[in-house]
């Protein structure tokens, strides 16, 4: 089945850039997503990228997609303490219905 | 809209008891998903519905788990009998299919129910 993998933890200092990486196995992905989960809350969509794009920028967020290597990354510029959360990578396939989530990367931002 | 509503937010029960988790999706959404989140296994899809019909329940761990969606605005996930290994946060999410350009999918998650089985 589909497999989405992420590293479990990342720790950065406030003001630095954070880069969260994700690999996936299914080449028929149509969209890839980053969701953010704050403590005690559900997941919220942060950003997404269509599979025919290489990059998407949205304010402090930059998403890079390497379709050949099936690698997705999320870069957060000028990371703030409020960015501390768990970040999930996810893919949806041509049939739309199911999402496949990674295990989540816990980002810790130190002041 | 109030978003996806789940109840209860916290549930503590004893092994062997029946547990019922509830979800109200966003009005107009025709897909509903139940997920389970644990430290060991991350976020797992248990089952999802389309137009109140279960489409894929391959993630349901075993027969002790059952889910229903009697109408478009309500779903339940029941565990009977519950076991300590069922302790987790259970999320409900809903969405509707977009069409046309930019038809990405966004699942809207509820706040979750934290279940502890002693």
């Amino acid at each position: 089945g589909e497999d989405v993998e992420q590293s479990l933890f990342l720790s950065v200092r406030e003001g630095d850039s954070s880069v969260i990486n994700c690999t996936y196995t299914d080449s028929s992905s149509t969209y890839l997503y980053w969701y953010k989960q704050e403590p005690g809350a559900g997941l919220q969509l942060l950003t997404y990228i269509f599979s025919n794009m290489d990059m998407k920028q949205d304010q402090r967020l930059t998403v890079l997609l390497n379709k050949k290597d099936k690698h997705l990354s999320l870069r957060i510029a000028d990371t703030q303490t409020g960015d501390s959360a768990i970040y999930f990578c996810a893919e949806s396939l041509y049939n739309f219905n199911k999402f496949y989530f990674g295990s989540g990367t816990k980002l810790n931002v130190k002041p | 809209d109030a978003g996806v509503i789940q109840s209860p937010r916290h549930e503590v029960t004893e092994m062997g008891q029946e547990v019922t988790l509830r979800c109200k999706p966003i009005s107009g959404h025709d897909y509903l998903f139940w997920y389970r989140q644990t430290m060991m296994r991350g976020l797992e899809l248990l089952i999802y519905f389309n137009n109140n019909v279960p489409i894929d329940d391959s993630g349901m761990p075993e027969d002790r788990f059952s889910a229903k969606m009697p109408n478009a605005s309500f779903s339940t996930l029941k565990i009977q009998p519950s076991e300590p290994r069922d302790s987790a946060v259970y999320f409900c999410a809903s969405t509707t299919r977009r069409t046309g350009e930019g038809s990405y999918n966004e699942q809207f998650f509820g706040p979750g129910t934290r279940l502890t089985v002693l």
Side-chain angles (χ1 to χ4, degrees):
Chain A
E2 291 70 18
D3 197 11
V4 180
E5 295 194 353
Q6 304 176 236
S7 54
L8 292 181
F9 300 101
L10 176 65
S11 185
V12 301
R13 292 210 173 274
E14 192 173 20
D16 288 350
S17 292
S18 308
V19 179
I20 302 171
N21 294 301
C22 169
T23 58
Y24 59 98
T25 56
D26 200 305
S27 57
S28 60
S29 300
T30 52
Y31 286 93
L32 293 119
Y33 306 83
W34 286 102
Y35 276 75
K36 178 182 180 182
Q37 183 184 27
E38 297 188 355
L43 282 68
Q44 281 192 300
L45 180 65
L46 196 59
T47 187
Y48 67 93
I49 188 168
F50 188 42
S51 56
N52 69 353
M53 297 169 65
D54 298 324
M55 185 181 86
K56 180 179 180 181
Q57 188 139 10
D58 184 1
Q59 299 182 335
R60 292 191 297 122
L61 305 177
T62 303
V63 179
L64 295 178
L65 175 61
N66 182 328
K67 203 169 178 183
K68 175 175 168 287
D69 294 338
K70 298 189 183 72
H71 182 265
L72 182 74
S73 68
L74 174 69
R75 179 177 180 269
I76 306 173
D78 187 24
T79 313
Q80 303 297 306
T81 54
D83 295 324
S84 293
I86 302 176
Y87 291 81
F88 289 88
C89 168
E91 61 172 343
S92 63
L93 307 183
Y94 64 93
N95 65 359
F96 165 85
N97 297 333
K98 288 173 77 165
F99 265 37
Y100 299 91
F101 284 91
S103 54
T105 299
K106 187 169 185 178
L107 174 64
N108 179 41
V109 183
K110 293 180 275 191
Chain B
D1 202 315
V4 176
I5 298 172
Q6 291 187 246
S7 65
R9 292 295 312 275
H10 301 273
E11 176 83 32
V12 181
T13 190
E14 292 190 345
M15 185 173 65
Q17 297 298 306
E18 178 180 297
V19 174
T20 299
L21 311 181
R22 296 173 176 78
C23 175
K24 178 176 166 39
I26 291 173
S27 177
H29 283 186
D30 52 352
Y31 286 86
L32 183 141
F33 304 78
W34 281 101
Y35 293 90
R36 177 172 69 176
Q37 184 180 30
T38 60
M39 288 289 292
M40 291 293 293
R41 300 172 71 92
L43 193 66
E44 302 174 274
L45 175 64
L46 301 178
I47 186 171
Y48 78 91
F49 296 83
N50 178 218
N51 291 323
N52 314 337
V53 176
I55 302 301
D56 185 345
D57 65 355
S58 59
M60 295 285 263
E62 47 199 273
D63 293 345
R64 297 184 297 107
F65 285 69
S66 62
K68 294 182 180 178
M69 192 163 186
N71 58 61
S73 58
F74 184 65
S75 177
T76 59
L77 178 68
K78 187 176 292 188
I79 308 172
Q80 165 66 12
S82 58
E83 296 182 4
R85 61 192 166 122
D86 301 330
S87 297
V89 180
Y90 290 81
F91 288 103
C92 175
S94 71
T95 191
T96 188
R97 186 166 191 166
R98 298 170 185 253
T99 57
E101 197 172 315
S103 55
Y104 69 94
N105 178 15
E106 179 175 1
Q107 291 196 5
F108 293 83
F109 282 75
T113 295
R114 182 173 293 277
L115 173 65
T116 303
V117 183
L118 303 173

